[in-house]
């Protein structure tokens, strides 16, 4: 596969932008090699600058559940753009999008729109702190919730639970406002609540953690978190930037059997345009300005073009048949790719979210259980899949996404290619 044009675009990008990218994972640092530059996309296919066609299993990291440039979404965006790109004033479609979101969250009455998931999470945390009058936030090690200061923290050593900044430029004082505990460890949670429960404003968790592999929680784990929050007066925030509208129309509460107090959204509700959202009960959300004293704002929040893309996407998803079809495709990919003689060619999957877990070990429930051998195998297969025309997310810690634009032939082709290349890799490993 020739990629000269991508390479020269990459050199130019590196001369004007840090690392040539505008979000770090795009640089391919986790897999080696040079990033592919995209010229256009439609359905489940990307076309790169050199004219190569690639079947996309990254799908812009989750928003494109209907595929690239879905005709309904493009039509809605074009019509909205023709009516003006931004008003900085109220328009009717904002309330329509909020209603469409709330239809998926029957317990909630309010939505505030932002321009990114990061902003939605920042807003939700501020709200939780204001509502409880407490200052600490508890997150899980390896969980990603956007790039705000308070959440770029990791667990410290030993029994210390105060976060350590995981990025330069995050003040220690800010990192110390976030407590970090390992996933899948109820005793650690109980201990931190016993020690500091009265200071904890909220617990933030992805109910289906999909940012460090796919770390499906064991039964009872989310219930235990809910109970601890209730016992100590802390709020429970489900960060559903990925999971929202991905597995069903709405949030995952009915699937996991636990109700959160607040939910953050992004990705799918913006249909591929920049959107984030905080959803929750009126008693909490109405504390935001202008009604309340919790400040939050955004020049482009509720942007008419983004809102149009979100509305068009949710209109298609409202027909629940989409989810059954995505489950069927996901199951097919998994079955076809794992029925090989390579025992480590395995996946952790929920519906259309698939994580390559290329290991003979049982799937991990926490970030520090992800084994190096699995990641090394992923790196090898990432390169060979790209050569064959499959665009996988360029990191072994990232999940793959299917969309309604993928069909049986697309997943069968990927499965077959994976099996062949895994077989060759296994033979090299044992040589
Ligand atoms: N929360 C979660 C769970 C996410 O997956 C992401 C992005 N991948 C974010 C927050 C941040 O969203 P954004 O990139 O839109 O700021």
């Amino acid at each position: 596969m020739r990629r000269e044009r991508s390479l020269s675009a990459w050199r130019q990008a590196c001369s004007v932008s840090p690392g040539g990218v505008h979000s770090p994972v795009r640089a391919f640092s986790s897999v080696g090699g040079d990033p592919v530059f995209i010229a256009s996309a439609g359905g489940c296919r990307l076309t790169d600058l050199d004219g190569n066609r690639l079947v996309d299993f990254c799908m812009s990291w989750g928003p494109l559940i209907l595929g690239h440039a879905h005709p309904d979404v493009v039509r809605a965006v074009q019509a909205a753009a023709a009516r003006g790109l931004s008003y900085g004033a109220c328009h009717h479609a904002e309330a329509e999008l909020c209603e469409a979101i709330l239809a998926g969250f029957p317990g909630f009455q309010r939505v505030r729109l932002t321009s990114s998931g990061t902003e939605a999470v920042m807003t939700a945390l501020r709200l939780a702190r204001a509502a409880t009058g407490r200052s600490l936030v508890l997150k899980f090690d390896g969980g990603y919730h956007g790039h705000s200061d308070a959440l770029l923290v990791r667990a410290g050593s030993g029994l210390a639970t105060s976060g350590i900044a995981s990025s330069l430029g995050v003040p220690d004082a800010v990192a110390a406002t976030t407590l970090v505990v390992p996933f899948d460890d109820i005793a650690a949670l109980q201990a931190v609540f016993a020690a500091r429960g009265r200071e904890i404003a909220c617990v933030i968790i992805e109910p289906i953690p999909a940012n460090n592999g796919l770390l499906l929680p064991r039964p009872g784990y989310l219930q235990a978190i809910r109970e601890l929050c209730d016992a100590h007066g802390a709020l429970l925030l489900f960060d559903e930037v990925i999971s929202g509208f991905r597995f069903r129309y709405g949030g995952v509460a009915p699937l996991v059997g636990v109700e959160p107090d607040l939910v953050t959204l992004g990705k799918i509700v913006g249909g591929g345009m920049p959107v984030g959202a905080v959803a929750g009960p009126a008693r909490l959300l109405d504390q935001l300005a202008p009604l309340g004293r919790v400040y939050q704002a955004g020049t482009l929040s509720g942007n008419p073009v983004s809102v149009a893309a979100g509305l068009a996407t949710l209109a298609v998803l409202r027909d629940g048949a989409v989810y059954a079809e995505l489950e069927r495709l996901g199951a097919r990919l998994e079955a076809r790719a794992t029925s090989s003689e390579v025992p480590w060619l395995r996946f952790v999957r929920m519906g259309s979210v698939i994580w390559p877990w290329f290991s003979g070990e049982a799937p991990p429930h926490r970030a520090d259980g992800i084994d190096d051998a699995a990641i090394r195998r992923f790196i090898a297969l990432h390169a060979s899949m790209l050569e064959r025309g499959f665009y996988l997310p360029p990191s072994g810690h990232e999940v793959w996404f299917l969309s309604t634009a993928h069909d049986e032939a697309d997943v069968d082709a990927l499965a077959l290619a994976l099996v062949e290349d895994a077989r060759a890799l296994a033979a090299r490993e044992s040589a």
Side-chain angles (χ1 to χ4, degrees), residues 116-118 121 144-146 206 211 239 241-242 267:
S116 68
T118 296
V121 170
Y144 180 71
H145 304 285
E206 270 191 286
N211 262 296
D239 182 358
V241 166
I242 289 179
K267 303 202 191 248

Side-chain angles (χ1 to χ4, degrees), residues 66 73 76-77 80 97 268-273 304-314:
L66 303 181
V73 180
V77 162
L97 179 60
I268 289 176
V269 299
M273 296 287 294
V305 184
S306 299
V307 165
L311 266 173
T313 301
L314 295 189

Side-chain angles (χ1 to χ4, degrees), residues 148-349:
S148 66
D149 281 356
L151 293 167
L152 289 182
V153 294
R154 58 182 166 77
S157 56
L159 296 175
T161 47
S162 281
I164 310 280
S166 58
S167 163
L168 290 181
V170 173
D172 292 344
V174 175
T177 62
T178 306
L179 305 174
V180 186
V181 295
F183 269 120
D184 195 45
D185 185 341
I186 293 178
L189 258 183
Q190 286 167 334
V192 71
F193 265 104
R196 309 200 66 179
R198 295 169 73 168
E199 299 165 80
I200 299 175
C202 79
V203 171
I204 177 168
I205 187 169
E206 270 191 286
I208 305 294
N211 262 296
N212 219 316
L214 185 59
L215 307 174
L216 296 179
R218 289 181 223 250
Y221 185 56
L222 294 171
Q223 280 83 353
I225 298 175
R226 174 78 270 179
E227 282 161 24
L228 280 166
C229 285
D230 290 344
H232 293 270
L235 299 178
L236 177 57
L237 161 52
F238 276 1
D239 182 358
E240 298 218 52
V241 166
I242 289 179
S243 63
F245 297 88
R246 170 53 64 177
F247 306 109
R248 60 180 295 278
Y249 190 92
V252 299
L255 305 179
V256 300
V258 174
E259 291 290 338
D261 298 297
L262 282 169
V263 165
T264 46
L265 297 163
K267 303 202 191 248
I268 289 176
V269 299
M273 296 287 294
V275 170
V278 186
R283 79 186 146 74
L284 288 175
L285 270 281
D286 285 351
Q287 297 188 32
L288 287 174
L291 291 183
R293 290 172 53 216
V294 183
Y295 193 70
Q296 191 275 340
T299 301
L300 295 177
S301 296
N303 175 265
V305 184
S306 299
V307 165
L311 266 173
T313 301
L314 295 189
V316 177
L317 297 178
R318 210 75 181 244
D319 171 3
V322 164
Y323 295 103
E325 178 54 22
L326 287 171
E327 165 59 28
R328 204 181 60 77
L329 269 187
R332 185 177 174 106
L333 173 61
E334 188 179 6
R336 299 224 158 192
T338 47
S339 61
S340 78
E341 67 270 30
V342 185
W344 52 254
L345 184 58
R346 295 162 67 203
F347 302 86
V348 181
R349 183 184 69 84

